[in-house]
Amino acid sequence: MNICFTDQVAIVTGAGNGLGRAYALELARRGAKVVVNDLGSERDGKGSSDAALAVVEEIRTAGGTAMANGGDVSDF
């Protein structure tokens, strides 16, 4: 069975490292456009996430579409 996410957008929280990164890469491999969400390098979420930017670059290098996002999904 081939699962395809072409023309779909996936928002993956915590995608800068670990399982979130793995999910973001796999969704992109299956055709999804991925929003790589990661709070940032500081505990309070301030700043930019170099990890998220690295995942975006990895997805783009593989031919996928992705963007980094540093928003806090727990804050309305």
Side-chain angles (χ1 to χ4, degrees):
M1 172 187 271
N2 185 17
I3 300 173
C4 180
F5 294 104
T6 302
D7 297 325
Q8 301 294 313
V9 175
I11 301 170
V12 183
T13 60
N17 293 293
L19 288 174
R21 177 183 174 274
Y23 290 133
L25 293 173
E26 184 62 21
L27 286 162
R29 189 182 73 76
R30 294 176 182 252
K33 297 174 184 172
V34 182
V35 177
V36 178
N37 174 264
D38 197 81
L39 279 177
S41 56
E42 298 178 33
R43 285 183 136 330
D44 63 3
K46 291 182 181 173
S48 63
S49 174
D50 292 337
L53 295 172
V55 174
V56 167
E57 186 58 33
E58 193 172 347
I59 290 170
R60 289 180 179 167
T61 298
T65 303
M67 66 173 282
N69 174 273
D72 183 352
V73 297
S74 69
D75 183 8
F76 287 102

